[in-house]
PDB file of all heavy atoms in Angstrom:
ATOM      1  N   GLN A   1       0.939  -1.132  -0.063  1.00  0.00           N
ATOM      2  CA  GLN A   1      -0.046  -0.014   0.049  1.00  0.00           C
ATOM      3  C   GLN A   1       0.945   1.271   0.016  1.00  0.00           C
ATOM      4  O   GLN A   1       1.880   1.201   0.696  1.00  0.00           O
ATOM      5  CB  GLN A   1      -0.946  -0.017   1.242  1.00  0.00           C
ATOM      6  CG  GLN A   1      -1.944  -1.157   1.157  1.00  0.00           C
ATOM      7  CD  GLN A   1      -2.945  -1.068   2.311  1.00  0.00           C
ATOM      8  OE1 GLN A   1      -2.647  -0.629   3.352  1.00  0.00           O
ATOM      9  NE2 GLN A   1      -4.231  -1.420   2.020  1.00  0.00           N
ATOM     10  N   LEU A   2       0.469   2.189  -0.770  1.00  0.00           N
ATOM     11  CA  LEU A   2       1.340   3.495  -0.914  1.00  0.00           C
ATOM     12  C   LEU A   2       0.394   4.633  -0.500  1.00  0.00           C
ATOM     13  O   LEU A   2      -0.705   4.788  -0.898  1.00  0.00           O
ATOM     14  CB  LEU A   2       1.629   3.693  -2.479  1.00  0.00           C
ATOM     15  CG  LEU A   2       2.402   2.367  -3.056  1.00  0.00           C
ATOM     16  CD1 LEU A   2       2.667   2.694  -4.495  1.00  0.00           C
ATOM     17  CD2 LEU A   2       3.699   2.215  -2.329  1.00  0.00           C
ATOM     18  N   VAL A   3       0.953   5.552   0.358  1.00  0.00           N
ATOM     19  CA  VAL A   3       0.326   6.699   0.812  1.00  0.00           C
ATOM     20  C   VAL A   3       1.190   7.895   0.419  1.00  0.00           C
ATOM     21  O   VAL A   3       2.322   8.012   0.880  1.00  0.00           O
ATOM     22  CB  VAL A   3       0.167   6.607   2.283  1.00  0.00           C
ATOM     23  CG1 VAL A   3      -0.567   7.959   2.760  1.00  0.00           C
ATOM     24  CG2 VAL A   3      -0.771   5.535   2.625  1.00  0.00           C
ATOM     25  N   GLU A   4       0.634   8.760  -0.424  1.00  0.00           N
ATOM     26  CA  GLU A   4       1.370   9.948  -0.955  1.00  0.00           C
ATOM     27  C   GLU A   4       1.043  11.097  -0.095  1.00  0.00           C
ATOM     28  O   GLU A   4      -0.069  11.304   0.402  1.00  0.00           O
ATOM     29  CB  GLU A   4       1.159  10.234  -2.378  1.00  0.00           C
ATOM     30  CG  GLU A   4       1.491   9.088  -3.246  1.00  0.00           C
ATOM     31  CD  GLU A   4       0.695   9.110  -4.594  1.00  0.00           C
ATOM     32  OE1 GLU A   4      -0.146   9.993  -4.779  1.00  0.00           O
ATOM     33  OE2 GLU A   4       0.994   8.215  -5.471  1.00  0.00           O
ATOM     34  N   SER A   5       1.982  12.143  -0.040  1.00  0.00           N
ATOM     35  CA  SER A   5       1.720  13.362   0.674  1.00  0.00           C
ATOM     36  C   SER A   5       2.665  14.468   0.067  1.00  0.00           C
ATOM     37  O   SER A   5       3.577  14.115  -0.672  1.00  0.00           O
ATOM     38  CB  SER A   5       2.001  13.138   2.179  1.00  0.00           C
ATOM     39  OG  SER A   5       3.309  12.905   2.377  1.00  0.00           O
ATOM     40  N   GLY A   6       2.293  15.757   0.289  1.00  0.00           N
ATOM     41  CA  GLY A   6       3.134  16.868  -0.143  1.00  0.00           C
ATOM     42  C   GLY A   6       2.687  17.663  -1.148  1.00  0.00           C
ATOM     43  O   GLY A   6       3.353  18.575  -1.509  1.00  0.00           O
ATOM     44  N   GLY A   7       1.664  17.288  -1.822  1.00  0.00           N
ATOM     45  CA  GLY A   7       1.193  18.214  -2.904  1.00  0.00           C
ATOM     46  C   GLY A   7       0.634  19.493  -2.428  1.00  0.00           C
ATOM     47  O   GLY A   7       0.509  19.737  -1.135  1.00  0.00           O
ATOM     48  N   GLY A   8       0.241  20.353  -3.383  1.00  0.00           N
ATOM     49  CA  GLY A   8      -0.353  21.708  -2.920  1.00  0.00           C
ATOM     50  C   GLY A   8      -0.198  22.728  -4.109  1.00  0.00           C
ATOM     51  O   GLY A   8       0.055  22.405  -5.212  1.00  0.00           O
ATOM     52  N   LEU A   9      -0.503  23.923  -3.697  1.00  0.00           N
ATOM     53  CA  LEU A   9      -0.570  25.072  -4.580  1.00  0.00           C
ATOM     54  C   LEU A   9       0.760  25.817  -4.374  1.00  0.00           C
ATOM     55  O   LEU A   9       1.151  26.187  -3.203  1.00  0.00           O
ATOM     56  CB  LEU A   9      -1.692  25.950  -4.381  1.00  0.00           C
ATOM     57  CG  LEU A   9      -1.796  27.227  -5.117  1.00  0.00           C
ATOM     58  CD1 LEU A   9      -1.719  27.044  -6.716  1.00  0.00           C
ATOM     59  CD2 LEU A   9      -2.840  28.100  -4.620  1.00  0.00           C
ATOM     60  N   VAL A  10       1.596  26.139  -5.430  1.00  0.00           N
ATOM     61  CA  VAL A  10       2.778  26.832  -5.303  1.00  0.00           C
ATOM     62  C   VAL A  10       2.891  27.894  -6.448  1.00  0.00           C
ATOM     63  O   VAL A  10       2.368  27.538  -7.568  1.00  0.00           O
ATOM     64  CB  VAL A  10       3.936  25.842  -5.183  1.00  0.00           C
ATOM     65  CG1 VAL A  10       4.228  25.142  -6.587  1.00  0.00           C
ATOM     66  CG2 VAL A  10       5.265  26.609  -4.832  1.00  0.00           C
ATOM     67  N   GLN A  11       3.535  28.900  -6.208  1.00  0.00           N
ATOM     68  CA  GLN A  11       3.804  29.900  -7.284  1.00  0.00           C
ATOM     69  C   GLN A  11       4.971  29.442  -8.265  1.00  0.00           C
ATOM     70  O   GLN A  11       5.832  28.589  -7.818  1.00  0.00           O
ATOM     71  CB  GLN A  11       4.210  31.224  -6.721  1.00  0.00           C
ATOM     72  CG  GLN A  11       3.112  31.876  -5.987  1.00  0.00           C
ATOM     73  CD  GLN A  11       3.407  33.363  -5.484  1.00  0.00           C
ATOM     74  OE1 GLN A  11       4.552  33.718  -5.479  1.00  0.00           O
ATOM     75  NE2 GLN A  11       2.308  34.136  -5.240  1.00  0.00           N
ATOM     76  N   PRO A  12       4.887  29.865  -9.503  1.00  0.00           N
ATOM     77  CA  PRO A  12       6.070  29.452 -10.399  1.00  0.00           C
ATOM     78  C   PRO A  12       7.351  29.851  -9.805  1.00  0.00           C
ATOM     79  O   PRO A  12       7.463  30.966  -9.168  1.00  0.00           O
ATOM     80  CB  PRO A  12       5.811  30.330 -11.548  1.00  0.00           C
ATOM     81  CG  PRO A  12       4.279  30.568 -11.595  1.00  0.00           C
ATOM     82  CD  PRO A  12       3.922  30.657 -10.103  1.00  0.00           C
ATOM     83  N   GLY A  13       8.323  28.946  -9.903  1.00  0.00           N
ATOM     84  CA  GLY A  13       9.646  29.186  -9.242  1.00  0.00           C
ATOM     85  C   GLY A  13       9.817  28.515  -7.905  1.00  0.00           C
ATOM     86  O   GLY A  13      10.852  28.552  -7.285  1.00  0.00           O
ATOM     87  N   GLY A  14       8.611  28.159  -7.369  1.00  0.00           N
ATOM     88  CA  GLY A  14       8.666  27.529  -5.972  1.00  0.00           C
ATOM     89  C   GLY A  14       9.069  26.087  -5.947  1.00  0.00           C
ATOM     90  O   GLY A  14       9.365  25.518  -7.013  1.00  0.00           O
ATOM     91  N   SER A  15       8.960  25.598  -4.817  1.00  0.00           N
ATOM     92  CA  SER A  15       9.373  24.166  -4.535  1.00  0.00           C
ATOM     93  C   SER A  15       8.361  23.412  -3.769  1.00  0.00           C
ATOM     94  O   SER A  15       7.613  24.032  -2.898  1.00  0.00           O
ATOM     95  CB  SER A  15      10.758  24.101  -3.758  1.00  0.00           C
ATOM     96  OG  SER A  15      11.784  24.791  -4.416  1.00  0.00           O
ATOM     97  N   LEU A  16       8.274  22.174  -4.097  1.00  0.00           N
ATOM     98  CA  LEU A  16       7.420  21.152  -3.269  1.00  0.00           C
ATOM     99  C   LEU A  16       8.225  19.864  -3.124  1.00  0.00           C
ATOM    100  O   LEU A  16       9.003  19.478  -3.992  1.00  0.00           O
ATOM    101  CB  LEU A  16       6.079  20.915  -3.948  1.00  0.00           C
ATOM    102  CG  LEU A  16       4.939  21.923  -3.849  1.00  0.00           C
ATOM    103  CD1 LEU A  16       3.813  21.501  -4.785  1.00  0.00           C
ATOM    104  CD2 LEU A  16       4.584  22.161  -2.538  1.00  0.00           C
ATOM    105  N   ARG A  17       7.890  19.186  -2.089  1.00  0.00           N
ATOM    106  CA  ARG A  17       8.504  17.804  -1.829  1.00  0.00           C
ATOM    107  C   ARG A  17       7.317  16.837  -1.692  1.00  0.00           C
ATOM    108  O   ARG A  17       6.658  16.921  -0.661  1.00  0.00           O
ATOM    109  CB  ARG A  17       9.458  17.836  -0.643  1.00  0.00           C
ATOM    110  CG  ARG A  17      10.096  16.534  -0.308  1.00  0.00           C
ATOM    111  CD  ARG A  17      10.962  16.678   0.865  1.00  0.00           C
ATOM    112  NE  ARG A  17      11.631  15.471   1.328  1.00  0.00           N
ATOM    113  CZ  ARG A  17      12.805  14.967   0.768  1.00  0.00           C
ATOM    114  NH1 ARG A  17      13.358  15.719  -0.169  1.00  0.00           N
ATOM    115  NH2 ARG A  17      13.268  13.837   1.108  1.00  0.00           N
ATOM    116  N   LEU A  18       7.357  15.826  -2.619  1.00  0.00           N
ATOM    117  CA  LEU A  18       6.408  14.848  -2.420  1.00  0.00           C
ATOM    118  C   LEU A  18       7.013  13.588  -1.783  1.00  0.00           C
ATOM    119  O   LEU A  18       8.168  13.257  -1.981  1.00  0.00           O
ATOM    120  CB  LEU A  18       5.885  14.332  -3.879  1.00  0.00           C
ATOM    121  CG  LEU A  18       5.323  15.497  -4.726  1.00  0.00           C
ATOM    122  CD1 LEU A  18       4.833  14.896  -6.125  1.00  0.00           C
ATOM    123  CD2 LEU A  18       4.242  16.272  -4.045  1.00  0.00           C
ATOM    124  N   SER A  19       6.096  12.872  -1.002  1.00  0.00           N
ATOM    125  CA  SER A  19       6.667  11.704  -0.329  1.00  0.00           C
ATOM    126  C   SER A  19       5.661  10.576  -0.547  1.00  0.00           C
ATOM    127  O   SER A  19       4.453  10.826  -0.686  1.00  0.00           O
ATOM    128  CB  SER A  19       6.765  11.894   1.146  1.00  0.00           C
ATOM    129  OG  SER A  19       7.884  12.834   1.456  1.00  0.00           O
ATOM    130  N   CYS A  20       6.157   9.399  -0.623  1.00  0.00           N
ATOM    131  CA  CYS A  20       5.372   8.177  -0.845  1.00  0.00           C
ATOM    132  C   CYS A  20       5.860   7.167   0.217  1.00  0.00           C
ATOM    133  O   CYS A  20       6.976   6.772   0.116  1.00  0.00           O
ATOM    134  CB  CYS A  20       5.414   7.666  -2.173  1.00  0.00           C
ATOM    135  SG  CYS A  20       4.704   6.180  -2.599  1.00  0.00           S
ATOM    136  N   ALA A  21       4.971   6.798   1.065  1.00  0.00           N
ATOM    137  CA  ALA A  21       5.280   5.766   2.182  1.00  0.00           C
ATOM    138  C   ALA A  21       4.667   4.434   1.726  1.00  0.00           C
ATOM    139  O   ALA A  21       3.500   4.319   1.431  1.00  0.00           O
ATOM    140  CB  ALA A  21       4.779   6.146   3.440  1.00  0.00           C
ATOM    141  N   ALA A  22       5.482   3.481   1.813  1.00  0.00           N
ATOM    142  CA  ALA A  22       5.066   2.061   1.282  1.00  0.00           C
ATOM    143  C   ALA A  22       5.030   1.123   2.449  1.00  0.00           C
ATOM    144  O   ALA A  22       5.923   1.111   3.352  1.00  0.00           O
ATOM    145  CB  ALA A  22       6.055   1.505   0.244  1.00  0.00           C
ATOM    146  N   SER A  23       4.037   0.200   2.449  1.00  0.00           N
ATOM    147  CA  SER A  23       3.977  -0.783   3.362  1.00  0.00           C
ATOM    148  C   SER A  23       4.733  -2.060   2.802  1.00  0.00           C
ATOM    149  O   SER A  23       5.020  -2.116   1.599  1.00  0.00           O
ATOM    150  CB  SER A  23       2.411  -1.158   3.736  1.00  0.00           C
ATOM    151  OG  SER A  23       1.889  -1.629   2.593  1.00  0.00           O
ATOM    152  N   GLY A  24       4.913  -3.044   3.611  1.00  0.00           N
ATOM    153  CA  GLY A  24       5.431  -4.379   3.204  1.00  0.00           C
ATOM    154  C   GLY A  24       7.029  -4.366   3.445  1.00  0.00           C
ATOM    155  O   GLY A  24       7.586  -3.280   3.681  1.00  0.00           O
ATOM    156  N   SER A  25       7.494  -5.598   3.214  1.00  0.00           N
ATOM    157  CA  SER A  25       8.896  -5.783   3.624  1.00  0.00           C
ATOM    158  C   SER A  25       9.943  -5.916   2.442  1.00  0.00           C
ATOM    159  O   SER A  25      11.006  -6.145   2.691  1.00  0.00           O
ATOM    160  CB  SER A  25       8.923  -7.148   4.510  1.00  0.00           C
ATOM    161  OG  SER A  25       8.438  -8.174   3.589  1.00  0.00           O
ATOM    162  N   LEU A  26       9.434  -5.713   1.259  1.00  0.00           N
ATOM    163  CA  LEU A  26      10.240  -6.003   0.085  1.00  0.00           C
ATOM    164  C   LEU A  26      10.617  -4.676  -0.591  1.00  0.00           C
ATOM    165  O   LEU A  26      11.040  -4.707  -1.743  1.00  0.00           O
ATOM    166  CB  LEU A  26       9.518  -6.869  -0.823  1.00  0.00           C
ATOM    167  CG  LEU A  26       9.253  -8.274  -0.363  1.00  0.00           C
ATOM    168  CD1 LEU A  26       8.418  -9.111  -1.500  1.00  0.00           C
ATOM    169  CD2 LEU A  26      10.526  -9.024  -0.060  1.00  0.00           C
ATOM    170  N   PHE A  27      10.366  -3.549   0.035  1.00  0.00           N
ATOM    171  CA  PHE A  27      10.564  -2.192  -0.617  1.00  0.00           C
ATOM    172  C   PHE A  27      11.976  -2.145  -1.014  1.00  0.00           C
ATOM    173  O   PHE A  27      12.193  -1.537  -2.167  1.00  0.00           O
ATOM    174  CB  PHE A  27      10.211  -1.077   0.413  1.00  0.00           C
ATOM    175  CG  PHE A  27      10.368   0.251  -0.177  1.00  0.00           C
ATOM    176  CD1 PHE A  27       9.361   0.813  -0.981  1.00  0.00           C
ATOM    177  CD2 PHE A  27      11.567   1.031   0.034  1.00  0.00           C
ATOM    178  CE1 PHE A  27       9.551   2.112  -1.550  1.00  0.00           C
ATOM    179  CE2 PHE A  27      11.681   2.261  -0.544  1.00  0.00           C
ATOM    180  CZ  PHE A  27      10.642   2.858  -1.339  1.00  0.00           C
ATOM    181  N   SER A  28      13.027  -2.597  -0.418  1.00  0.00           N
ATOM    182  CA  SER A  28      14.420  -2.348  -0.712  1.00  0.00           C
ATOM    183  C   SER A  28      14.760  -3.065  -2.112  1.00  0.00           C
ATOM    184  O   SER A  28      15.611  -2.692  -2.730  1.00  0.00           O
ATOM    185  CB  SER A  28      15.348  -2.918   0.327  1.00  0.00           C
ATOM    186  OG  SER A  28      15.144  -4.289   0.479  1.00  0.00           O
ATOM    187  N   ARG A  29      13.840  -3.980  -2.517  1.00  0.00           N
ATOM    188  CA  ARG A  29      14.065  -4.629  -3.798  1.00  0.00           C
ATOM    189  C   ARG A  29      13.272  -4.119  -4.954  1.00  0.00           C
ATOM    190  O   ARG A  29      13.306  -4.590  -6.029  1.00  0.00           O
ATOM    191  CB  ARG A  29      13.747  -6.120  -3.628  1.00  0.00           C
ATOM    192  CG  ARG A  29      14.598  -6.798  -2.607  1.00  0.00           C
ATOM    193  CD  ARG A  29      14.074  -8.216  -2.292  1.00  0.00           C
ATOM    194  NE  ARG A  29      13.990  -9.069  -3.351  1.00  0.00           N
ATOM    195  CZ  ARG A  29      13.419 -10.370  -3.233  1.00  0.00           C
ATOM    196  NH1 ARG A  29      13.058 -10.834  -2.107  1.00  0.00           N
ATOM    197  NH2 ARG A  29      13.340 -11.049  -4.355  1.00  0.00           N
ATOM    198  N   ALA A  30      12.397  -3.035  -4.610  1.00  0.00           N
ATOM    199  CA  ALA A  30      11.398  -2.522  -5.617  1.00  0.00           C
ATOM    200  C   ALA A  30      12.038  -1.564  -6.511  1.00  0.00           C
ATOM    201  O   ALA A  30      12.872  -0.612  -6.149  1.00  0.00           O
ATOM    202  CB  ALA A  30      10.271  -1.992  -4.831  1.00  0.00           C
ATOM    203  N   TYR A  31      11.472  -1.537  -7.629  1.00  0.00           N
ATOM    204  CA  TYR A  31      11.650  -0.268  -8.585  1.00  0.00           C
ATOM    205  C   TYR A  31      10.626   0.628  -8.200  1.00  0.00           C
ATOM    206  O   TYR A  31       9.453   0.445  -7.927  1.00  0.00           O
ATOM    207  CB  TYR A  31      11.392  -0.816 -10.068  1.00  0.00           C
ATOM    208  CG  TYR A  31      11.130   0.302 -11.062  1.00  0.00           C
ATOM    209  CD1 TYR A  31      12.061   0.863 -11.782  1.00  0.00           C
ATOM    210  CD2 TYR A  31       9.832   0.691 -11.267  1.00  0.00           C
ATOM    211  CE1 TYR A  31      11.807   1.924 -12.767  1.00  0.00           C
ATOM    212  CE2 TYR A  31       9.483   1.721 -12.164  1.00  0.00           C
ATOM    213  CZ  TYR A  31      10.568   2.276 -12.947  1.00  0.00           C
ATOM    214  OH  TYR A  31      10.186   3.319 -13.853  1.00  0.00           O
ATOM    215  N   THR A  32      11.031   1.928  -8.110  1.00  0.00           N
ATOM    216  CA  THR A  32      10.114   3.021  -7.732  1.00  0.00           C
ATOM    217  C   THR A  32      10.185   4.111  -8.760  1.00  0.00           C
ATOM    218  O   THR A  32      11.235   4.467  -9.323  1.00  0.00           O
ATOM    219  CB  THR A  32      10.464   3.533  -6.283  1.00  0.00           C
ATOM    220  OG1 THR A  32      11.745   4.022  -6.211  1.00  0.00           O
ATOM    221  CG2 THR A  32      10.345   2.354  -5.299  1.00  0.00           C
ATOM    222  N   ALA A  33       9.082   4.726  -8.829  1.00  0.00           N
ATOM    223  CA  ALA A  33       8.940   5.841  -9.847  1.00  0.00           C
ATOM    224  C   ALA A  33       7.862   6.791  -9.446  1.00  0.00           C
ATOM    225  O   ALA A  33       6.974   6.530  -8.650  1.00  0.00           O
ATOM    226  CB  ALA A  33       8.702   5.380 -11.226  1.00  0.00           C
ATOM    227  N   TRP A  34       7.896   8.070 -10.065  1.00  0.00           N
ATOM    228  CA  TRP A  34       6.803   8.982 -10.012  1.00  0.00           C
ATOM    229  C   TRP A  34       6.302   9.195 -11.358  1.00  0.00           C
ATOM    230  O   TRP A  34       7.081   9.422 -12.380  1.00  0.00           O
ATOM    231  CB  TRP A  34       7.280  10.377  -9.378  1.00  0.00           C
ATOM    232  CG  TRP A  34       7.547  10.243  -8.000  1.00  0.00           C
ATOM    233  CD1 TRP A  34       8.705  10.062  -7.286  1.00  0.00           C
ATOM    234  CD2 TRP A  34       6.562  10.456  -6.913  1.00  0.00           C
ATOM    235  NE1 TRP A  34       8.575   9.977  -5.871  1.00  0.00           N
ATOM    236  CE2 TRP A  34       7.152  10.294  -5.689  1.00  0.00           C
ATOM    237  CE3 TRP A  34       5.141  10.808  -6.860  1.00  0.00           C
ATOM    238  CZ2 TRP A  34       6.482  10.456  -4.439  1.00  0.00           C
ATOM    239  CZ3 TRP A  34       4.568  10.994  -5.764  1.00  0.00           C
ATOM    240  CH2 TRP A  34       5.197  10.806  -4.511  1.00  0.00           C
ATOM    241  N   TYR A  35       4.996   9.320 -11.557  1.00  0.00           N
ATOM    242  CA  TYR A  35       4.368   9.666 -12.771  1.00  0.00           C
ATOM    243  C   TYR A  35       3.494  10.854 -12.504  1.00  0.00           C
ATOM    244  O   TYR A  35       3.233  11.217 -11.357  1.00  0.00           O
ATOM    245  CB  TYR A  35       3.419   8.441 -13.257  1.00  0.00           C
ATOM    246  CG  TYR A  35       4.180   7.339 -13.844  1.00  0.00           C
ATOM    247  CD1 TYR A  35       4.865   6.417 -13.057  1.00  0.00           C
ATOM    248  CD2 TYR A  35       4.105   7.019 -15.189  1.00  0.00           C
ATOM    249  CE1 TYR A  35       5.523   5.320 -13.585  1.00  0.00           C
ATOM    250  CE2 TYR A  35       4.650   5.909 -15.776  1.00  0.00           C
ATOM    251  CZ  TYR A  35       5.491   5.144 -14.849  1.00  0.00           C
ATOM    252  OH  TYR A  35       6.035   4.038 -15.496  1.00  0.00           O
ATOM    253  N   ARG A  36       3.036  11.514 -13.507  1.00  0.00           N
ATOM    254  CA  ARG A  36       2.032  12.598 -13.465  1.00  0.00           C
ATOM    255  C   ARG A  36       1.087  12.584 -14.534  1.00  0.00           C
ATOM    256  O   ARG A  36       1.316  12.033 -15.704  1.00  0.00           O
ATOM    257  CB  ARG A  36       2.778  13.964 -13.387  1.00  0.00           C
ATOM    258  CG  ARG A  36       3.436  14.276 -14.654  1.00  0.00           C
ATOM    259  CD  ARG A  36       4.162  15.614 -14.491  1.00  0.00           C
ATOM    260  NE  ARG A  36       4.892  16.078 -15.596  1.00  0.00           N
ATOM    261  CZ  ARG A  36       5.793  17.043 -15.709  1.00  0.00           C
ATOM    262  NH1 ARG A  36       6.084  17.722 -14.617  1.00  0.00           N
ATOM    263  NH2 ARG A  36       6.321  17.408 -16.769  1.00  0.00           N
ATOM    264  N   GLN A  37      -0.150  13.197 -14.323  1.00  0.00           N
ATOM    265  CA  GLN A  37      -1.204  13.164 -15.283  1.00  0.00           C
ATOM    266  C   GLN A  37      -1.890  14.644 -15.182  1.00  0.00           C
ATOM    267  O   GLN A  37      -2.529  15.010 -14.166  1.00  0.00           O
ATOM    268  CB  GLN A  37      -2.147  12.140 -15.087  1.00  0.00           C
ATOM    269  CG  GLN A  37      -3.210  12.102 -16.278  1.00  0.00           C
ATOM    270  CD  GLN A  37      -4.006  10.821 -16.206  1.00  0.00           C
ATOM    271  OE1 GLN A  37      -4.150  10.067 -15.141  1.00  0.00           O
ATOM    272  NE2 GLN A  37      -4.708  10.438 -17.249  1.00  0.00           N
ATOM    273  N   ALA A  38      -1.660  15.384 -16.281  1.00  0.00           N
ATOM    274  CA  ALA A  38      -2.262  16.693 -16.301  1.00  0.00           C
ATOM    275  C   ALA A  38      -3.748  16.462 -16.968  1.00  0.00           C
ATOM    276  O   ALA A  38      -3.991  15.588 -17.677  1.00  0.00           O
ATOM    277  CB  ALA A  38      -1.416  17.547 -17.204  1.00  0.00           C
ATOM    278  N   PRO A  39      -4.502  17.464 -16.731  1.00  0.00           N
ATOM    279  CA  PRO A  39      -5.929  17.452 -17.256  1.00  0.00           C
ATOM    280  C   PRO A  39      -5.941  17.244 -18.707  1.00  0.00           C
ATOM    281  O   PRO A  39      -5.199  17.957 -19.519  1.00  0.00           O
ATOM    282  CB  PRO A  39      -6.521  18.802 -16.825  1.00  0.00           C
ATOM    283  CG  PRO A  39      -5.716  19.195 -15.726  1.00  0.00           C
ATOM    284  CD  PRO A  39      -4.367  18.745 -15.824  1.00  0.00           C
ATOM    285  N   GLY A  40      -6.647  16.342 -19.295  1.00  0.00           N
ATOM    286  CA  GLY A  40      -6.668  16.016 -20.660  1.00  0.00           C
ATOM    287  C   GLY A  40      -5.554  15.413 -21.284  1.00  0.00           C
ATOM    288  O   GLY A  40      -5.511  15.197 -22.507  1.00  0.00           O
ATOM    289  N   LYS A  41      -4.520  14.905 -20.481  1.00  0.00           N
ATOM    290  CA  LYS A  41      -3.428  14.376 -21.090  1.00  0.00           C
ATOM    291  C   LYS A  41      -3.180  13.015 -20.475  1.00  0.00           C
ATOM    292  O   LYS A  41      -3.731  12.627 -19.362  1.00  0.00           O
ATOM    293  CB  LYS A  41      -2.162  15.114 -20.758  1.00  0.00           C
ATOM    294  CG  LYS A  41      -2.149  16.552 -21.488  1.00  0.00           C
ATOM    295  CD  LYS A  41      -0.862  17.221 -21.287  1.00  0.00           C
ATOM    296  CE  LYS A  41      -0.804  18.481 -21.934  1.00  0.00           C
ATOM    297  NZ  LYS A  41       0.459  19.289 -21.873  1.00  0.00           N
ATOM    298  N   GLN A  42      -2.399  12.126 -21.183  1.00  0.00           N
ATOM    299  CA  GLN A  42      -2.108  10.820 -20.669  1.00  0.00           C
ATOM    300  C   GLN A  42      -1.044  10.945 -19.446  1.00  0.00           C
ATOM    301  O   GLN A  42      -0.331  11.816 -19.356  1.00  0.00           O
ATOM    302  CB  GLN A  42      -1.491   9.968 -21.748  1.00  0.00           C
ATOM    303  CG  GLN A  42      -2.550   9.528 -22.788  1.00  0.00           C
ATOM    304  CD  GLN A  42      -1.888   8.453 -23.792  1.00  0.00           C
ATOM    305  OE1 GLN A  42      -0.732   8.449 -24.074  1.00  0.00           O
ATOM    306  NE2 GLN A  42      -2.815   7.769 -24.345  1.00  0.00           N
TER     307      GLN A  42
END
């Protein structure tokens, strides 16, 4: 199970930090990635 946090509203030029916490004991062997989806896009 994955729980994400850290999103929000920011001005151009600003910063945000996203975090994803995973349950389970095999995380160290996992491939991990971030994806995004904008409105109307894949």
Side-chain angles (χ1 to χ4, degrees):
Q1 293 186 327
L2 304 175
V3 178
E4 299 158 359
S5 60
L9 172 64
V10 64
Q11 292 187 342
S15 298
L16 283 174
R17 182 179 176 84
L18 306 183
S19 291
C20 175
S23 64
S25 59
L26 298 176
F27 181 81
S28 63
R29 298 167 59 181
Y31 161 93
T32 59
W34 287 93
Y35 285 73
R36 66 187 180 188
Q37 187 165 18
K41 295 188 177 181
Q42 289 190 330

